[in-house]
Amino acid sequence: AFSPSRLDYGDPGGTFRQSLSASFDKPLRQMLKNHLGHRLPEILKALGMPAFQHLYEIEAVAYNDGCHLDRHVDTAGDRGVSGPQPRVDRRISAVYYFHRAPKSFTGGLLRLYPLLPGPSIDIEPEQNLLVAFPAFAPHEVKPVCCPSGSFADSRFTVNFWLHTAPSS
């Protein structure tokens, strides 16, 4: 059920984000929410964030040969007639990596850019690794090299965004 990834805040040429995305059925979505929820206190502590009422946004993404995602922040939003609308309700971004073993691709590093002057951090997409960061942190996915071109050899992720729940 994977299809070309959509970019909420516009990509008319289709060059900013090249990947395939899919959503999950309700039971699997709930299992993933529960899994991340068990890790949430540890994530909040590591990020120095207080607990907050939250909602989840979840997608699966496959990056095959040449796929990438240019530098961006996850608080950008839908591109309307008047331009991008911010997604300030996104507070945390998290990426869970999985792939065929042995790994059949190279590249696909997650590059996190500093908020203050300093070096960027490159994170290797390793099996069963969960990476969480503030949604406003600039980041990108470097190009993937997958010589076989086989979908099963792709760099796979489950992407999570935790939003501030609307007040009632």
Side-chain angles (χ1 to χ4, degrees), residues 3 23 29 114-115 144 168:
S3 60
S23 55
R29 189 177 169 74
L115 298 175
V144 170
S168 33

Side-chain angles (χ1 to χ4, degrees), residues 64-133:
N64 203 278
D65 196 50
C67 289
H68 66 280
L69 177 56
D70 289 347
R71 184 177 175 161
H72 67 288
V73 296
D74 289 341
T75 52
D78 293 330
R79 181 175 291 281
V81 174
S82 62
Q85 303 300 310
R87 294 296 303 264
V88 295
D89 60 334
R90 281 184 175 169
R91 303 274 307 275
I92 296 174
S93 298
V95 181
Y96 173 75
Y97 297 98
F98 63 101
H99 54 76
R100 178 181 270 184
K103 185 162 53 170
S104 300
F105 65 88
T106 58
L109 299 172
L110 172 64
R111 178 166 289 166
L112 296 172
Y113 290 94
L115 298 175
L116 300 172
S120 59
I121 299 169
D122 287 340
I123 299 169
E124 184 74 32
E126 294 296 337
Q127 184 75 298
N128 202 32
L129 174 67
L130 176 67
V131 177
F133 52 93

Side-chain angles (χ1 to χ4, degrees), residues 39-54 75 88-94 115 132-137 162-164:
R39 305 286 308 273
L40 192 53
E42 175 186 351
I43 290 169
L44 289 168
K45 183 177 179 183
L47 295 177
M49 293 180 155
F52 60 95
Q53 292 296 316
H54 58 276
T75 52
V88 295
D89 60 334
R90 281 184 175 169
R91 303 274 307 275
I92 296 174
S93 298
L115 298 175
F133 52 93
F136 59 80
L162 275 71
H163 295 251
T164 304

